Amino acid sequence: MGWERIGLDGEVFTPHRYPNGLYRVADPALGDVKHHAKNQLSIRDDQIEDYLQRGFSLRMKGDVTGKVNLIPPSEIRRV
């Protein structure tokens, strides 16, 4: 099982694992600065669901462009 987001153009985004083996989430309470690296938390894959349920956005990578974006939980689905 995993997580994905399908973009309007059909590109599939999946959670981006950083070189340290962790994923990054951002607290929506931080507003316009949540996307700054210093404001993000590193988490394990088994913690993703909990953070999504709490409203945190997740860094995800596109399968075509390779671009890493911060995706809100409302756009992410379990697969």
Side-chain angles (χ1 to χ4, degrees):
M1 269 203 165
W3 304 94
E4 73 176 13
R5 177 223 187 209
I6 309 294
L8 295 175
D9 61 358
E11 184 170 16
V12 178
F13 285 77
T14 55
H16 178 65
R17 185 186 311 248
Y18 284 82
N20 64 359
L22 299 174
Y23 300 88
R24 292 192 187 149
V25 294
D27 187 344
L30 296 175
D32 292 343
V33 296
K34 69 178 174 256
H35 66 283
H36 295 178
K38 68 180 181 178
N39 295 330
Q40 294 180 23
L41 302 173
S42 294
I43 64 169
R44 298 181 316 268
D45 60 348
D46 64 337
Q47 296 175 299
I48 292 174
E49 184 168 9
D50 178 56
Y51 278 92
L52 291 177
Q53 289 177 353
R54 292 169 41 200
F56 283 65
S57 297
L58 176 65
R59 286 274 176 200
M60 301 183 86
K61 184 176 183 177
D63 67 343
V64 175
T65 62
K67 188 172 180 179
V68 177
N69 293 326
L70 192 58
I71 308 295
S74 60
E75 298 179 17
I76 301 171
R77 68 180 185 137
R78 183 105 173 163
V79 292

